[in-house]
């Protein structure tokens, strides 16, 4: 059963990251930005191979912090642990902000008024998403999150079907045109 859960988690992650983000990246960077995408994929693969080599160097290595301790001693373990926990915290904050922005765009007039206190839509949705996600942090077994991943996989399948329907039936589709290279996007300037 854990293999099936792992597959749902992997499919959810890959489909969630790739279905809309790669076409958007191509629209923002041009067709030649595929070279940069391939370079990043190659670096990620090489990093994975290095991690595998580090973890197979000793039976005591199970985490990134263990790799830091193996390579740099106690200071390495503390440094890696600090950055790992900081990254996890910042990803959670980024997720809440992202969801607040997305829901604010979907429901622009959603505000809460409690007496003289007015809470904007973005802040309302950040708090709402935090309240919905918070119980998942109390789970004793993270294997239960595989069922949440199943929902994500189903949502990705529905999204692909909707995009294909819009492209095939509603007349929005690929017109075989595009910009070859948008250089200024790589230098963080406005278009």
């Amino acid at each position: 059963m854990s293999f099936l859960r792992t597959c749902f988690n992997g499919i959810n992650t890959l489909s969630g990251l790739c279905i809309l983000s790669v076409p958007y990246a191509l629209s923002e960077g041009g067709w030649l930005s595929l070279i940069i995408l391939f370079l990043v994929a190659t670096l990620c693969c090489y990093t994975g191979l290095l991690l595998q080599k580090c973890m197979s160097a000793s039976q005591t290595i199970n985490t990134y912090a263990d790799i830091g301790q193996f390579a740099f001693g106690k200071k390495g373990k503390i440094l890696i642990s600090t950055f790992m926990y900081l990254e996890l915290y910042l990803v959670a904050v980024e997720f809440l902000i992202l969801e607040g922005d997305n829901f604010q765009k979907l429901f622009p007039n959603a505000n809460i008024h409690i007496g003289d206190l007015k809470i904007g839509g973005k802040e309302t949705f950040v708090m709402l998403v935090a309240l919905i996600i918070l119980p998942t942090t109390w789970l004793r077994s993270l294997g239960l999150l595989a069922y949440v991943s199943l929902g994500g996989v189903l949502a990705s399948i529905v999204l692909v079907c909707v995009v294909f329907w819009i492209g095939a039936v509603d007349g929005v589709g690929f017109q075989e045109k595009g910009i070859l290279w948008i250089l200024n996007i790589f230098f963080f300037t406005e278009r």
Side-chain angles (χ1 to χ4, degrees):
M1 189 57 122
S2 71
F3 177 74
L4 187 60
R5 289 178 183 168
T6 304
C7 288
F8 278 129
N9 289 334
I11 290 170
N12 187 30
T13 302
L14 292 175
S15 65
L17 291 174
C18 298
I19 287 178
L20 293 177
S21 62
V22 171
Y24 180 73
L26 289 178
S27 72
E28 290 295 311
W31 287 100
L32 287 179
S33 64
L34 279 173
I35 295 169
I36 294 173
L37 188 64
F38 180 73
L39 179 65
V40 169
T42 304
L43 290 173
C44 288
C45 181
Y46 181 68
T47 303
L49 292 173
L50 288 177
L51 284 172
Q52 179 187 15
K53 191 173 183 180
C54 288
M55 293 186 82
S56 63
S58 173
Q59 295 291 339
T60 61
I61 297 177
N62 294 320
T63 64
Y64 289 116
D66 293 339
I67 294 172
Q69 184 173 7
F70 188 76
F72 303 109
K74 187 73 171 171
K75 290 181 183 178
K77 182 175 184 170
I78 292 171
L79 186 67
I80 296 295
S81 295
T82 302
F83 278 108
M84 288 298 297
Y85 287 121
L86 186 63
E87 179 188 15
L88 289 173
Y89 174 75
L90 293 176
V91 164
V93 170
E94 177 186 21
F95 174 75
L96 292 175
I97 292 170
L98 178 69
E99 292 305 314
D101 285 343
N102 288 339
F103 281 119
Q104 174 65 27
K105 289 177 184 174
L106 287 173
F107 307 106
N109 297 324
N111 297 313
I112 293 179
H113 300 280
I114 303 173
D116 291 336
L117 180 66
K118 178 185 176 188
I119 302 174
K122 182 177 178 181
E123 292 81 9
T124 301
F125 289 122
V126 166
M127 290 186 292
L128 183 65
V129 169
L131 288 174
I132 291 170
I133 298 298
L134 186 62
T136 64
T137 63
W138 300 330
L139 295 173
R140 293 183 187 267
S141 170
L142 292 180
L144 295 175
L145 287 179
Y147 299 109
V148 176
S149 292
L150 175 62
V153 169
L154 293 176
S156 296
I157 290 170
V158 168
L159 177 66
V160 168
C161 291
V162 167
V163 169
F164 277 133
W165 180 269
I166 290 172
V169 176
D170 293 343
V172 178
F174 185 67
Q175 275 77 38
E176 298 181 17
K177 63 181 178 180
I179 298 171
L180 185 63
W181 185 258
I182 303 172
L183 189 60
N184 63 352
I185 197 71
F186 296 106
F187 297 109
F188 306 107
T189 59
E190 294 290 325
R191 280 200 281 173

